[in-house]
Amino acid sequence: FAEQNSIKWLHSGDIFAEESVRGGDNETQDPEKAEREVLVWPCPLQSHTRAYLENMSSQREREDFLAKRCARFARKLTRQTGAEAKEMFLTRKCDSIVLATKYDPTSTLLDLLPYLAPSSPFVVYSEYMEPLVECFRELQKQSLAINIRLMDTWM
């Protein structure tokens, strides 16, 4: 995916939480980014990892472990941190929103709608129908969306 079309997973706490960690120059510190910047590729094996590999019974087991380790480090080096994803989210409009929550989705959706580009689709999932009905009515009442559909997954 190109950067402007990439799929991002964001926790609402990452978006709406107050900034609590500040640096000396009033820039927000990002511990995940700082950790990522110190990593070098290929990542050298630490002594405990070497000992773990030596205790494995077969070459196949060692290769599987190293392949998983390689994939884990590749993800860590290439994925955006929560702060970077939040920055991207706040600086340009989203082309869609998928909201899945165990709690009341109405307030979260109403807070997210200003970040959604005009005429863009959104989906709200809830385990129960009642919060969805309340959200549906609120969207209708405030005339915030058109072509609204409320569906049960078992219909």
Side-chain angles (χ1 to χ4, degrees), residues 63-81:
E63 289 172 358
D64 288 345
F65 172 80
L66 290 173
K68 287 179 186 176
R69 181 180 183 272
C70 179
R72 185 173 57 251
F73 276 100
R75 281 192 309 272
K76 195 171 197 172
L77 286 167
T78 57
R79 75 171 170 229
Q80 286 189 326
T81 67

Side-chain angles (χ1 to χ4, degrees), residues 25-55:
D25 56 357
N26 282 342
E27 287 187 16
T28 304
Q29 300 297 311
D30 187 354
E32 291 178 56
K33 185 177 181 183
E35 181 183 350
R36 182 181 65 208
E37 289 173 350
V38 215
L39 286 175
V40 291
W41 188 257
C43 296
L45 294 175
Q46 295 179 346
S47 59
H48 67 277
T49 307
R50 287 184 205 282
Y52 182 72
L53 284 169
E54 290 170 4
N55 291 330

